[in-house]
Amino acid sequence: MPILEKVDRLADARAWYGDMPVESLYTAGIAGERFLRAIKDEGRLLGTHCAHCDITYLPPAIYCERCFAELNDWVEVGPGGEVHSFTVMAVGPDGAPLERPVVVAFVQLDGADGGLIHYLSDVDADEVEIGMRVVPVFKPAGERRGSILDITHFKPA
Ligand SMILES: [Zn+2]
């Protein structure tokens, strides 16, 4: 049966026993790599700006999703920002209650039209508010690996 042949009865489907001989390599993409390198090497947050639409993308994009223009205007955003929304997690991914609640916030960075979803710490969960001013906390330069977790969390400004 060719791979693209439609199976009408489940019993006609073939099974593959053992390991699938498939490998995948995921990348951050062109804009994502530059964004993560700026965090790792410089402790800066970079977005891309579309002059036509006057939108600054964060995370950065290599083309404008509104007018499809190629974006080459890299701009520094933040580091400060504002809590746009947040949630307080009391249960971990395994379903077990957490020792302390964890706050995850969508932070809109100054100068950007987008933002980052990240941990919000150094504040009691009951004190978090929409509009709260926050700043990122970066790992020390020698410990950064080119990951969004090179920002350990955001904290109140
Ligand atoms: Zn545009």
Side-chain angles (χ1 to χ4, degrees):
M1 175 188 305
I3 196 163
L4 296 177
E5 188 171 320
K6 185 173 182 235
V7 176
D8 293 322
R9 296 181 328 126
L10 189 58
D12 294 340
R14 290 186 180 188
W16 184 292
Y17 298 98
D19 296 327
M20 294 284 285
V22 176
E23 292 180 12
S24 298
L25 175 65
Y26 295 97
T27 70
I30 296 168
E33 180 172 339
R34 186 163 175 179
F35 172 69
L36 292 172
R37 280 189 189 282
I39 291 173
K40 178 179 179 242
D41 299 338
E42 305 162 37
R44 297 191 313 146
L45 298 170
L46 295 181
T48 49
H49 181 73
C50 178
H52 181 260
C53 300
D54 195 26
I55 293 175
T56 299
Y57 289 92
L58 182 82
I62 58 171
Y63 71 92
C64 177
E65 64 188 37
R66 291 198 182 175
C67 73
F68 299 110
E70 185 176 350
L71 301 179
N72 295 307
D73 182 15
W74 288 80
V75 295
E76 185 170 358
V77 299
E82 187 170 282
V83 173
H84 187 76
S85 65
F86 67 96
T87 189
V88 179
M89 300 186 306
V91 176
D94 58 356
L98 296 173
E99 214 169 280
R100 293 178 30 211
V102 172
V103 181
V104 175
F106 175 74
V107 177
Q108 184 165 13
L109 278 294
D110 296 342
D113 292 289
L116 299 174
I117 296 172
H118 216 300
Y119 296 113
L120 180 57
S121 303
D122 302 341
V123 61
D124 284 338
D126 332 352
E127 295 175 4
V128 178
E129 297 177 338
I130 303 292
M132 171 183 257
R133 296 289 306 162
V134 294
V135 291
V137 177
F138 292 91
K139 284 182 179 173
E143 296 176 22
R144 296 181 202 150
R145 299 177 45 232
S147 158
I148 195 64
L149 294 177
D150 288 345
I151 300 170
T152 60
H153 62 281
F154 281 78
K155 69 175 186 180

